[in-house]
């Protein structure tokens, strides 16, 4: 079998059945935990295993590519699911954002750390819309954080960052900052 830690390994060549087989193998080895919520399979791992895997990813030389793909994937998924927000599939969009919130947080932080401000912005401004329903201000804080970065001035979605950050006034965030940002 191919070794995913081999720098020549091509993740692009995997199909959905390869991914399912790999996930199943990791669950059987107790490296991943599997849970079902809202008809979806969710996978998690112990923090010690996650840290070891992250270290191995760094050592393999493919970490930058893997984290970049992770950020791009979640930015694209946010766009897709927020589009569903404006359709009869709104409930599916809310469920997806709730189920994936920890991954969205991680993707946002990774994008910010990699300087992928477009991806970070896409995730933040779309998460604000759904998070407002659950009265979560964390994505509002993401928008405000991005606005403090000088390079965001040239972003296409700058106006959405301002709108997202100003939602803080509705959710009980710092009203003075919301007025300045809004």
């Amino acid at each position: 079998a191919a070794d995913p830690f081999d720098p020549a390994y091509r993740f692009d060549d995997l199909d959905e059945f390869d991914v399912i087989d790999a996930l199943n193998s990791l669950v059987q080895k107790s490296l991943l935990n599997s849970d079902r919520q809202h008809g979806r399979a969710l996978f998690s791992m112990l923090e010690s295993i996650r840290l070891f895997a992250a270290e191995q990813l760094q050592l393999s030389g493919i970490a930058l590519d893997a984290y970049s793909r992770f950020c791009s994937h979640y930015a694209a998924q946010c766009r897709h699911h927020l589009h569903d927000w404006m359709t009869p599939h709104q409930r599916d969009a809310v469920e997806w954002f709730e189920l994936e919130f920890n991954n969205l947080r991680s993707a946002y932080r990774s994008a910010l750390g990699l300087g992928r401000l477009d991806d970070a912005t896409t995730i933040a401004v779309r998460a604000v819309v759904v998070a407002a329903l659950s009265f979560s201000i964390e994505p509002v804080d993401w928008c405000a954080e991005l606005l403090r970065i000088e390079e965001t001035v040239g972003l296409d979605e700058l106006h959405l960052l301002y709108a997202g950050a100003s939602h803080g006034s509705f959710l009980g965030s710092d009203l003075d900052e919301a007025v300045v940002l809004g």
Side-chain angles (χ1 to χ4, degrees):
D3 179 6
F5 293 110
D6 180 349
Y9 188 78
R10 298 287 305 158
F11 289 96
D12 296 335
D13 297 337
L14 296 177
D15 66 19
E16 60 206 41
F17 298 109
D18 292 328
V19 173
I20 291 169
D21 287 344
L23 289 171
N24 186 42
S25 172
L26 293 170
V27 168
Q28 288 177 352
K29 294 173 185 169
S30 298
L31 294 172
L32 284 182
N33 298 315
S34 177
D35 187 24
R36 290 194 69 75
Q37 291 183 24
H38 302 287
R40 295 184 173 112
L42 299 175
F43 298 93
S44 62
M45 65 181 72
L46 294 173
E47 182 66 9
S48 58
I49 293 172
R50 188 195 68 73
L51 291 171
F52 175 76
E55 181 181 304
Q56 293 302 305
L57 192 60
Q58 286 291 338
L59 293 173
S60 73
I62 61 169
L64 182 59
D65 183 51
Y67 286 121
S68 293
R69 287 173 183 244
F70 174 68
C71 298
S72 294
H73 169 76
Y74 273 97
Q77 288 298 303
C78 281
R79 281 191 291 276
H80 168 76
H81 287 285
L82 194 64
H83 173 74
D84 281 354
W85 176 258
M86 303 302 192
T87 72
H89 302 288
Q90 187 176 61
R91 182 178 179 162
D92 294 335
V94 172
E95 286 176 0
W96 182 85
F97 274 93
E98 288 175 354
L99 288 172
E100 294 290 341
F101 195 77
N102 287 333
N103 285 327
L104 292 174
R105 179 186 297 118
S106 182
Y108 167 76
R109 288 280 162 223
S110 293
L112 198 60
L114 293 171
R116 297 179 64 92
L117 298 179
D118 285 326
D119 286 341
T121 298
T122 295
I123 293 166
V125 299
R126 281 149 184 88
V128 162
V129 174
V130 179
L133 291 175
S134 61
F135 296 98
S136 171
I137 62 170
E138 187 174 351
V140 172
D141 293 339
W142 299 346
C143 291
E145 180 179 25
L146 283 163
L147 286 171
R148 291 185 195 97
I149 299 172
E150 188 175 316
E151 291 82 5
T152 59
V153 171
L155 294 178
D156 291 339
E157 294 189 329
L158 180 62
H159 63 289
L160 296 176
L161 279 176
Y162 279 106
S166 70
H167 272 68
S169 63
F170 302 115
L171 300 173
S173 187
D174 184 351
L175 183 58
D176 291 333
E177 183 176 19
V179 169
V180 169
L181 295 173

